[in-house]
Amino acid sequence: MFGRMNRRYDVVVVGGGPAGLAAALGALDSGVSRVLVVEREPEPGGILRQCIHAGFGLHHFREELTGPEYAERFVTQAMDRDIDVAPHSYVTGLAVDSSGHRLVRVLSSRGGLATVECRSVVLAMGCRERTRGAVRIPGTRPAGIFTAGLAQKLLNLDGYLPGRRAVILGSGDIGLIMARRLTLEGCKVEGVFELMPYSNGLTRNVVQCLDDYGIPLHLSTTVTRIHGRDRIEAVTVAPVDEAGRPDAARAWDVPCDTLLLSIGLIPENELSESLGIALDVVTGGPKVDSTLATSLPGVFACGNVLHVHDLVDFVTEEALRAGRFAGEHARQIRRPRDAIALVPGANVRYCLPHTLSADRPHTVYMRAKTRMSPCILRVGNLLERKLRFVVPAEMIHLTIQPELLERFYEDRLQIDLLPVDGGGAP
Amino acid sequence: MTERQEQHYVCISCPIGCPLRLVHEGDQIIEIEGQECNRGAKYARQEFTDPRRTFSTTVPITGAVYGRLPVKLSAPVPRQAIPAAMAAIRLLCAEAPVRLGQVLLRDVAGVAGVDVVACRTMDRVMIAPS
Amino acid sequence: MYDVAIIGGGVVGCAIARELSRYHLRTVLLERFAEVGFGTTKTNSGIIHAGQQTTPGTLKGLLEVRGNAMFDQLQRELGFGFRRCGELVVASTAEEMASLERMKADGEAKGVPGLEMWGAQRLRREEPNLSLHLVGALFAPSAGVINPYEFAFALAECAVQNGVELRVEHEVQSIALRDGGGFRIHAKIPSGPGAVPSGPGAVPSGPGAVPSGPGAVQAVPDAASATCVDVEARFIINAAGVHADKVAAMVGADDFTIRPRRGEEYLLDRRLEGIVTRLIFPVPTPASKGILIIPTFDGTLMVGPTAHDQDDRFNVPTTTEGSEEVFATVRRLCPSLDARATIAEFAGLRAVSDTGDFIIGPSRVPGFFHVAGIQSPGLTASPAIAVHVVELVGRAGLPLVEHDGFNPHVAPPARFATQPHEVRQALVEADPRFGRLVCRCELVTEAEVHQAVDHGARTLDGVKFRTRAGMGRCQGGFCTTRVMQILSRRLGVPFHEVTKRGAGSWLVIPMAEDREAAMTEAGATTGDPAAGATEEAPCSDA
Ligand SMILES: Cc1cc2nc3c(=O)[nH]c(=O)nc-3n(C[C@H](O)[C@H](O)[C@H](O)COP(=O)(O)OP(=O)(O)OC[C@H]3O[C@@H](n4cnc5c(N)ncnc54)[C@H](O)[C@@H]3O)c2cc1C
Ligand SMILES: Cc1cc2nc3c(=O)[nH]c(=O)nc-3n(C[C@H](O)[C@H](O)[C@H](O)COP(=O)(O)OP(=O)(O)OC[C@H]3O[C@@H](n4cnc5c(N)ncnc54)[C@H](O)[C@@H]3O)c2cc1C
Ligand code: SF4
């Protein structure tokens, strides 16, 4: 029920975005009945509430939905299946009592600082955006510099334009989508600037969001200086060399009153860190086994808090699984310990989960380090698959069947992305 | 006889984004290749004959938890009709409660069968946040 | 007519205002920005120096040691963030060790307490993350770190509570000598949208507050969106920081010039907390500019500052060269520091006078006092400067009659984040607004934002520097709209008129305006709404 929070649950989910909602549903699927989702916003739905563009659900629902539509389907299911959702509530900490129960500390104006007891916890806190500090753009510190997500929230939830003349740094999907969105609302987008020699967003977004509206995309170019005293007045942009160093001699100034930063997302793991959960330095999220359990017993993770996803459908898939395993854990069902370490090899930035067991199929998610086309995806000596096209921005997923692992006696399985003659890594 | 020409598109029907090549003689399509599935061919044909787009935006809403209601077009409109559609939507104003899928405007910008629909349910709340 | 007008609400102006508020006087503090302390005071290293490093025999050196000693009491009275963490000047050669010995002797002569020489072993034990090349250090236990803006806010609040009138967004433009003595100060104030409510009543007045604006003459419309007011005063104290020479020139008392010297600072992620626990200075040499490692009061590390002269007194940019210089230098002291851990960077201007020392005292225009050239260690010296200036003005004829109602205390803000579980629980029970989270990175609640407004915050930055909302890792991504909403409600202005730090620093444009424009446009053409706005043409046909 929306707004209800009892003292005791089987599973408590931290965060009510698509990951949290699916995890809650997954937990019910596993046979537990008391599930709570804690959400700090006024309503569940997570970041999807502000992603009003279409492009969600093609894998999971086989139709193209907008973010709010995708979210609503899960919210409705959660309500129908009597999951408790506590809005305006923030999880500040977690403790374990002597009988092994997890104590979740929830802060809200209605319930004060409450302690909720449960057997399993699913972390689904999502991610936050990288800021100006992270890319160290020199210059003044005027008003008018927004992360793309904040601008998106202002525009799509609150109804305010961030400005009238914008420059966008970063050509990931969020940057591209915001370029179109601002243009439609009458804000002039002077250009999208991208450090890399290729766009980090989906090709379809480059076509639909920039090309259609005549917005220039400047590849291998970055913002090197911010100007303006009270409000931003201009940025200096400069082409970069292979090592990413700006060439000051070819720099130029772009007048603008707004700079949007779409320069990457970071899993939001302050809570996990404070609990001493082991994190992966590459993903920024927890290390998890094949049940999506973190290093802290009974605590699971999924969605953007685990690793930054580009498609919500995979978030849902991962979260349903995490929820199911969390529910099993609450019911004291134990799975065999994983015996195989899954490690990233050539051209693989990371792969998840960190360990596998031989008894069931596994969905493995990974990201490439560079753009390659075509290439071979190789899993130890068990499996080879030809991929037409890989880019770092698009997650690769793969199912490993138990038959393959049954006769695998080593303790380490490496995943490589190998160039094919004629194609390959640049 | 018209000369054989080619057009290049990027399929936007799904996130894969197949690069498509369409060969044509005048209005006559000879060949389409590059698609991973047949939606790609359909897309190239559409782009060649009648390029259409859809978009989503927001309209102001009163009495709801937030000040804006996300809306979308129920189907794509011809690309040139986007400004007119946007202008028409800009005049809309909703009042909570609104249901997911509720039609706010029919036949937007004069395109028959394309409606502006709500992308989410927004209940009426007692105190609207300032 | 006021007895005293202080021009400039930096830490120096605020300290003087509080000092004057001990006496039966009518004092006004005029500040250009929307809040006090938004000049150099907000953008420095935040160090309360021990004093052993400053040249003996200078006014600077004298007031620095005196100022340092005043901070324990001030902290008790005003509740700002301050901790004596001690400082280490570290040496990497035997010659440097020798100069540390000299520094120690100088410092002791100036009265700097507790100086100690440390050998390599002691240094390694106390600060194990410093470079292995270091051979020893001079330890000064009385050095500390402070949240300088909190100090300035508290000084101003205390002054206001004791009757000083604070007028923010008052930019002094000219000063005329009044017939019959005193001055008429002409100040520009903003008006129209975006103007932050200011002037009398801007900061809630405490028990001792005088009736508002005895000296405000009239408001006259000026150029564009600005209005001007005249303020009359018998004495002027010029504490305009980097603009002090310009202000002095308004009365023809410009017998010095100020050269701004920019210093860049880089704030690092909280995960580096504890890498060093004391302030780490290199031995000052002509070559090295003294780039330091600062464990700030809030627990984050900061590195900087650089030192480069510049002419522009308003735009204070950080630069790529500055960042490289800072990290190259500090990595020699502490190799695990890395530019990639930066979460924020900023720069400030030191007001370097042509004498190189502080310029404090009467000018050649009777009644007009300079407090100029207050470069580093101005923050440290500020309370001592204030006492010194008030004494001088008193000697020049200002009657200093103490009033018994002086309350030296202001209530420190309740910090939810730093409280143990039980205290948090009690706070939420007492005020449910403590249960509503505003900033997730620093765990700031709605109640704290309201408190900040109660204590004078008028802008997003004002709230940020009082509560830390927006200072953490996400740098405002989460809290910006929440804080704007509260400010909008509390100041009684529309959401879009909330600014980052005063007029000109607008944040958003309401879409409703656009809709109204579209309505009129559509209405003006035909009845068919869709036909009206085609010229907007966001879609290119390419
Ligand atoms: C701008 C943008 C565009 C995108 N476009 C697409 C697209 O076109 N197609 C697609 O498939 N995917 C897209 N994605 C990706 C997809 O939306 C995300 O991967 C997905 O929303 C992640 O879900 P999540 O539940 O992990 O995180 P979130 O949606 O961020 O949800 C996390 C929730 O946890 C809450 N929370 C965090 N900490 C706490 C705490 N301590 N206590 C209580 N609550 C807490 C947060 O408030 C939030 O509601 C896009 C993402 C963005 C940002
Ligand atoms: C990078 C850096 C690091 C530093 N580190 C330290 C340190 O660690 N320890 C230390 O003790 N000191 C330090 N300092 C020095 C210290 O910051 C200054 O000495 C101190 O802040 C000066 O305060 P102020 O009030 O004189 O100047 P400001 O804070 O600049 O105040 C002057 C005020 O006058 C106002 N003003 C100017 N013109 C007008 C006008 N015409 N009308 C109305 N108002 C006007 C301005 O808006 C401003 O608010 C540092 C300085 C810098 C730049
Ligand atoms: S052709 Fe098929 S697979 Fe390829 S992008 Fe289009 S819809 Fe997707």
Side-chain angles (χ1 to χ4, degrees):
Chain A
M1 197 177 98
F2 186 75
R4 181 174 58 199
M5 189 170 86
N6 295 329
R7 293 273 149 199
R8 193 165 287 161
Y9 287 91
D10 298 310
V11 178
V12 171
V13 180
V14 188
L21 292 169
L25 293 166
L28 287 189
D29 291 344
S30 77
V32 300
S33 57
R34 298 170 307 167
V35 179
L36 170 72
V37 175
V38 185
E39 171 55 57
R40 62 185 177 198
E41 298 286 340
E43 52 177 19
I47 195 86
L48 292 187
R49 295 173 312 135
Q50 65 185 60
C51 298
I52 63 161
H53 58 281
F56 301 83
L58 277 160
H59 293 258
H60 192 80
F61 292 115
R62 306 248 156 249
E63 64 180 300
E64 187 168 37
L65 303 172
T66 62
E69 289 172 311
Y70 189 94
E72 189 156 332
R73 291 199 181 190
F74 284 91
V75 174
T76 309
Q77 272 191 64
M79 293 300 107
D80 288 351
R81 296 182 64 186
D82 207 30
I83 288 167
D84 285 353
V85 176
H88 288 299
S89 304
Y90 187 79
V91 173
T92 57
L94 179 66
V96 181
D97 73 6
S98 51
S99 60
H101 285 106
R102 266 118 216 117
L103 305 175
V104 184
R105 304 245 192 260
V106 182
L107 173 69
S108 68
S109 58
R110 248 209 294 164
L113 198 52
T115 300
V116 177
E117 195 184 296
C118 64
R119 291 189 173 274
S120 318
V121 174
V122 182
L123 304 177
M125 289 94 74
C127 59
R128 66 187 145 82
E129 297 179 278
R130 297 219 299 158
T131 63
R132 173 181 177 185
V135 285
R136 284 172 287 136
I137 308 170
T140 52
R141 304 189 60 75
I145 305 165
F146 299 87
T147 56
L150 174 57
Q152 190 180 44
K153 175 170 188 269
L154 281 165
L155 198 57
N156 293 345
L157 291 184
D158 301 317
Y160 293 90
L161 279 167
R164 297 212 183 275
R165 198 172 178 191
V167 163
I168 298 179
L169 180 60
S171 70
D173 288 315
I174 311 176
L176 300 176
I177 280 159
M178 281 307 289
R180 172 177 62 183
R181 191 70 196 103
L182 287 172
T183 307
L184 279 172
E185 290 299 345
C187 169
K188 172 113 181 64
V189 177
E190 296 292 337
V192 175
F193 295 86
E194 170 59 56
L195 183 70
M196 304 301 286
Y198 48 82
S199 162
N200 270 318
L202 300 171
T203 323
R204 70 191 291 258
N205 284 334
V206 177
V207 174
Q208 276 189 320
C209 300
L210 302 188
D211 299 355
D212 272 6
Y213 295 87
I215 300 166
L217 172 61
H218 301 271
L219 297 172
S220 300
T221 310
T222 193
V223 172
T224 56
R225 186 91 175 226
I226 289 166
H227 307 269
R229 195 170 124 196
D230 297 322
R231 177 83 189 190
I232 186 167
E233 284 156 19
V235 292
T236 303
V237 295
V240 297
D241 62 15
E242 264 107 83
R245 275 186 309 258
D247 178 357
R250 290 191 292 145
W252 76 97
D253 283 358
V254 185
C256 60
D257 65 17
T258 303
L259 173 64
L260 291 199
L261 302 176
S262 173
I263 48 181
L265 304 169
I266 308 166
E268 173 133 352
N269 277 293
E270 279 67 38
L271 182 61
S272 326
E273 264 181 312
S274 73
L275 300 175
I277 288 175
L279 299 185
D280 179 326
V281 290
V282 179
T283 60
K287 291 189 176 168
V288 288
D289 70 10
S290 67
T291 67
L292 300 165
T294 67
S295 62
L296 192 66
V299 178
F300 298 76
C302 57
N304 279 352
V305 80
L306 180 56
H307 59 133
V308 175
H309 291 250
D310 41 87
L311 286 184
V312 71
D313 306 73
F314 296 146
V315 170
T316 301
E317 183 282 325
E318 183 176 271
L320 281 168
R321 261 190 300 136
R324 249 183 331 256
F325 288 120
E328 282 184 4
H329 182 272
R331 293 178 55 217
Q332 320 247 6
I333 297 173
R334 295 291 177 263
R335 295 278 185 168
R337 287 275 297 267
D338 290 347
I340 306 163
L342 188 68
V343 291
N347 298 314
V348 179
R349 202 160 79 80
Y350 71 81
C351 49
L352 279 175
H354 293 83
T355 57
L356 301 177
S357 72
D359 62 319
R360 63 201 133 88
H362 293 289
T363 305
V364 171
Y365 290 121
M366 69 198 87
R367 277 186 199 277
K369 271 188 185 150
T370 58
R371 189 187 177 93
M372 295 163 85
S373 76
C375 67
I376 303 277
L377 169 65
R378 197 170 68 192
V379 184
N381 51 9
L382 301 179
L383 182 75
E384 268 195 13
R385 188 165 297 166
K386 189 165 170 184
L387 299 178
R388 213 161 38 84
F389 182 66
V390 299
V391 276
E394 284 177 49
M395 204 162 65
I396 305 165
H397 65 117
L398 167 82
T399 308
I400 298 178
Q401 295 300 339
E403 301 81 81
L404 277 176
L405 295 169
E406 261 165 27
R407 279 184 301 281
F408 184 76
Y409 297 111
E410 290 161 46
D411 53 9
R412 186 173 177 279
L413 190 56
Q414 178 170 316
I415 300 196
D416 302 296
L417 283 169
L418 303 167
V420 179
D421 297 336
Chain B
M1 206 188 95
T2 35
E3 220 176 294
R4 198 169 266 223
Q5 286 179 315
E6 33 175 274
Q7 297 291 330
H8 293 267
Y9 302 108
V10 179
C11 179
I12 60 172
S13 311
C14 92
I16 290 174
C18 295
L20 308 173
R21 190 173 74 103
L22 179 145
V23 184
H24 64 104
E25 277 174 18
D27 289 347
Q28 182 85 34
I29 298 172
I30 310 290
E31 176 182 22
I32 300 170
E33 59 175 48
Q35 66 273 33
E36 200 105 303
C37 78
N38 54 19
R39 277 194 296 161
K42 196 172 148 210
Y43 174 77
R45 201 168 294 123
Q46 182 85 45
E47 278 295 280
F48 183 66
T49 51
D50 174 22
R52 285 185 171 244
R53 292 290 185 270
T54 184
F55 66 90
S56 30
T57 178
T58 63
V59 300
I61 183 166
T62 52
V65 60
Y66 289 103
R68 305 296 289 193
L69 169 73
V71 298
K72 69 171 186 181
L73 302 183
S74 60
V77 293
R79 211 167 71 175
Q80 319 81 270
I82 290 185
M86 199 53 203
I89 294 173
R90 197 162 277 167
L91 303 175
L92 298 176
C93 187
E95 197 189 326
V98 169
R99 313 262 355 129
L100 171 69
Q102 187 172 322
V103 175
L104 301 175
L105 180 67
R106 289 207 186 279
D107 303 336
V108 64
V111 185
V114 179
D115 303 332
V116 177
V117 298
C119 290
R120 60 168 290 182
T121 299
M122 278 185 123
D123 292 326
R124 200 163 180 90
V125 292
M126 284 304 149
I127 342 133
S130 57
Chain C
M1 178 143 87
Y2 291 101
D3 295 313
V4 187
I6 305 163
I7 301 176
V11 67
V12 172
C14 293
I16 296 169
R18 179 175 183 262
E19 204 49 40
L20 285 172
S21 75
R22 293 177 192 273
Y23 305 99
H24 278 289
L25 293 170
R26 285 187 307 177
T27 305
V28 65
L29 175 57
L30 301 171
E31 168 54 47
R32 174 207 310 268
F33 293 128
E35 309 223 10
V36 298
F38 274 20
T40 301
T41 294
K42 198 177 69 163
T43 52
N44 55 48
S45 306
I47 300 169
I48 300 307
H49 292 280
Q52 84 281 19
Q53 295 201 40
T54 314
T55 324
T58 58
L59 185 57
K60 236 171 20 181
L62 179 76
L63 295 174
E64 180 184 30
V65 179
R66 235 190 247 170
N68 178 302
M70 296 168 78
F71 271 88
D72 298 296
Q73 186 183 345
L74 283 166
Q75 202 276 336
R76 279 194 300 275
E77 290 172 345
L78 301 174
F80 51 87
F82 169 65
R83 177 166 48 94
R84 291 200 192 268
C85 58
E87 80 177 41
L88 288 167
V89 187
V90 294
S92 42
T93 60
E95 295 88 82
E96 287 190 344
M97 280 303 269
S99 57
L100 288 186
E101 294 283 6
R102 277 193 301 278
M103 189 188 280
K104 179 164 179 273
D106 283 352
E108 277 161 354
K110 275 188 289 180
V112 178
L115 295 175
E116 274 175 32
M117 289 299 294
W118 286 5
Q121 227 178 0
R122 174 85 193 268
L123 182 61
R124 207 139 299 152
R125 192 169 68 233
E126 299 281 351
E127 295 288 354
N129 295 311
L130 292 183
S131 167
L132 299 175
H133 303 297
L134 300 174
V135 294
L138 173 62
F139 175 55
S142 64
V145 286
I146 184 174
N147 280 338
Y149 35 87
E150 284 178 15
F151 180 44
F153 295 153
L155 285 168
E157 197 182 339
C158 183
V160 168
Q161 175 183 287
N162 288 298
V164 170
E165 196 181 316
L166 167 65
R167 300 222 202 156
V168 291
E169 295 204 309
H170 275 56
E171 179 185 338
V172 174
Q173 289 198 311
S174 62
I175 302 170
L177 296 179
R178 266 179 92 252
D179 304 333
F183 304 88
R184 175 173 296 123
I185 303 165
H186 190 64
K188 194 173 94 185
I189 58 173
S191 60
V196 183
S198 74
V203 171
S205 309
V210 289
S212 66
V217 178
Q218 78 274 70
V220 282
D222 202 65
S225 69
T227 315
C228 285
V229 290
D230 283 348
V231 174
E232 295 180 336
R234 278 177 64 207
F235 288 89
I236 291 180
I237 298 174
N238 168 18
V242 89
H243 302 278
D245 54 346
K246 306 279 180 211
V247 170
M250 293 176 193
V251 287
D254 48 335
D255 21 41
F256 60 90
T257 53
I258 298 286
R259 188 77 210 271
R261 186 174 294 161
R262 187 181 69 240
E264 301 178 25
E265 310 262 11
Y266 294 82
L267 204 60
L268 309 183
D269 193 280
R270 206 171 261 283
R271 95 179 94 86
L272 291 169
E273 178 167 4
I275 295 281
V276 301
T277 58
R278 298 173 185 81
L279 291 153
I280 309 297
F281 288 71
V283 173
T285 66
S288 151
K289 308 251 169 50
I291 292 176
L292 347 160
I293 308 172
I294 305 151
T296 68
F297 176 79
D298 288 311
T300 47
L301 282 192
M302 189 162 82
V303 292
T306 57
H308 295 283
D309 290 346
Q310 70 168 45
D311 292 324
D312 194 326
R313 296 174 191 231
F314 290 103
N315 286 297
V316 203
T318 51
T319 62
T320 316
E321 304 77 53
S323 149
E324 281 164 5
E325 183 186 345
V326 165
F327 283 96
T329 316
V330 295
R331 284 182 72 134
R332 262 178 263 136
L333 303 179
C334 182
S336 52
L337 299 182
D338 183 347
R340 277 174 304 185
T342 307
I343 60 161
E345 55 192 70
F346 62 83
L349 292 180
R350 302 174 184 84
V352 182
S353 73
D354 40 16
T355 69
D357 200 353
F358 292 167
I359 301 172
I360 298 174
S363 70
R364 70 172 111 102
V365 179
F368 188 94
F369 282 72
H370 293 313
V371 188
I374 312 297
Q375 55 165 311
S376 191
L379 184 59
T380 312
S382 58
I385 293 175
V387 172
H388 182 57
V389 173
V390 170
E391 218 176 271
L392 294 177
V393 184
R395 257 186 253 157
L398 182 72
L400 298 176
V401 183
E402 285 194 34
H403 78 73
D404 347 305
F406 177 76
N407 177 4
H409 296 275
V410 294
R415 273 281 146 78
F416 189 77
T418 55
Q419 306 301 330
H421 185 80
E422 304 71 48
V423 179
R424 286 183 181 180
Q425 207 143 21
L427 283 172
V428 186
E429 265 155 37
D431 181 350
R433 294 178 306 180
F434 277 107
R436 255 172 264 146
L437 195 80
V438 168
C439 165
R440 61 175 179 203
C441 307
E442 300 289 330
L443 210 67
V444 180
T445 66
E446 204 177 296
E448 289 158 86
V449 178
H450 280 283
Q451 268 180 16
V453 179
D454 294 340
H455 288 254
R458 290 294 172 273
T459 61
L460 204 55
D461 277 359
V463 170
K464 170 169 147 182
F465 285 100
R466 281 179 177 85
T467 64
R468 297 193 55 78
M471 276 197 186
R473 284 180 174 149
C474 89
Q475 291 282 301
F478 182 75
C479 66
T480 299
T481 55
R482 283 157 224 264
V483 174
M484 285 173 71
Q485 258 157 19
I486 297 173
L487 278 171
S488 146
R489 229 176 297 148
R490 287 295 306 274
L491 304 180
V493 300
F495 185 81
H496 64 269
E497 284 181 16
V498 173
T499 62
K500 179 169 162 64
R501 53 168 169 257
S505 63
W506 57 276
L507 290 158
V508 296
I509 302 167
M511 270 159 84
E513 260 173 30
D514 276 27
R515 181 166 171 269
E516 270 153 37
M519 295 268 262
T520 10
E521 220 171 279
T525 48
T526 62
D528 171 14
T534 35
E535 67 277 343
E536 205 166 312
C539 217
S540 88
D541 274 326

